[in-house]
Amino acid sequence: MTTPGLVPTLLPQSALVKTSDVDKAEWNFHPLLGLIQRLRFKLILSLLPNRRIGRLLEIGYGSGVFLPELAKRCDELYGIDTHQAAASVSRNLSRHRVAAKLSCGSAVALPFEDRSFDCVVAVSCLEYVDPFEQAAAEITRVLKPDGVLVFVTPGNSPILDLGHYLLTGCRAQEHYGRRRDALVPTLLNALTVQSDITAPRIGSSLFTLYRAMRVSPRELPSPSAGVRHA
């Protein structure tokens, strides 16, 4: 696994494009909040396969802040998000020598062929998707039989939500509602856990900042009648 102290390579703050109201990529560069935000990327890196990845898809790539790091770890990098700023993000990535094939779409209807990815990554985005069941089915469909989904989701604690509000002025419940409680159980109906870690790794769930998991398809996904193309 990746060394926990590794500093992820991020797209510079000056290259970020504001893609939506929930895109808070600039928080990664905040003196205090950035330490918490960047922890998500370290968790993802610690769970990625300990080998070079063939084809990797990031769901919810936003402004592309994490794509420079992911590009170093795969042969082909893809990204999908619901916003319309793919062209702008691609230009910024190109200026920093990052090649990624970006598209507009949703996790509930991924525009990719069956069994086409070795790894799917999702950083604090699946909790926004609806319905979870359909997203889980789509992720399972596009993963190769030995592929993995690596994702991180925020903890669900009134104590941490208060701290988040004091730091950012944003109320977590307005973004997630009760969805944080439903995400993991729904995903695990279709996927099998390989690794499951929290940050911090010890202590009460009241103080869990993030939960990260590496999961794999429970059963070999059957090719669908209508194959989608990127």
Side-chain angles (χ1 to χ4, degrees), residues 31-159:
L32 176 58
L33 188 57
L35 295 175
I36 300 172
Q37 289 287 103
R38 294 192 300 272
L39 179 58
R40 302 171 303 160
F41 302 134
K42 293 183 179 182
L43 290 171
I44 290 288
L45 296 181
S46 74
L47 293 177
L48 286 179
N50 193 22
R51 55 177 169 76
R52 186 152 184 91
I53 299 166
R55 300 182 84 207
L56 186 152
L57 168 68
E58 183 180 9
I59 296 175
Y61 66 84
S63 57
V65 66
F66 193 37
L67 292 177
E69 181 64 43
L70 294 178
K72 297 190 301 184
R73 299 168 180 274
C74 65
D75 297 326
E76 294 181 56
L77 179 60
Y78 292 75
I80 189 166
D81 207 313
T82 56
H83 64 66
Q84 304 289 327
S88 296
V89 175
S90 292
R91 284 194 295 270
N92 286 344
L93 290 171
S94 295
R95 294 187 184 105
H96 291 84
R97 300 181 180 179
V98 177
K101 300 175 183 178
L102 307 180
S103 57
C104 176
S106 169
V108 303
L110 294 172
F112 305 107
E113 295 181 353
D114 296 349
R115 303 181 181 183
S116 55
F117 289 101
D118 300 283
C119 181
V120 174
V121 168
V123 183
S124 298
C125 71
L126 293 180
E127 55 272 10
Y128 293 99
V129 176
D130 186 34
F132 291 148
E133 294 85 356
Q134 190 168 338
E138 280 290 272
I139 291 169
T140 302
R141 179 183 66 78
V142 303
L143 279 174
K144 294 180 179 180
D146 59 348
V148 293
L149 163 66
V150 180
F151 71 94
V152 61
T153 189
N156 189 2
S157 162
I159 295 175

Side-chain angles (χ1 to χ4, degrees), residues 194-217:
Q194 292 187 358
S195 297
D196 183 357
I197 57 177
T198 60
R201 298 200 179 203
I202 59 175
S204 167
S205 60
L206 287 175
F207 299 99
T208 296
L209 290 169
Y210 300 111
R211 184 178 184 183
M213 303 180 77
R214 183 176 69 225
V215 295
S216 57

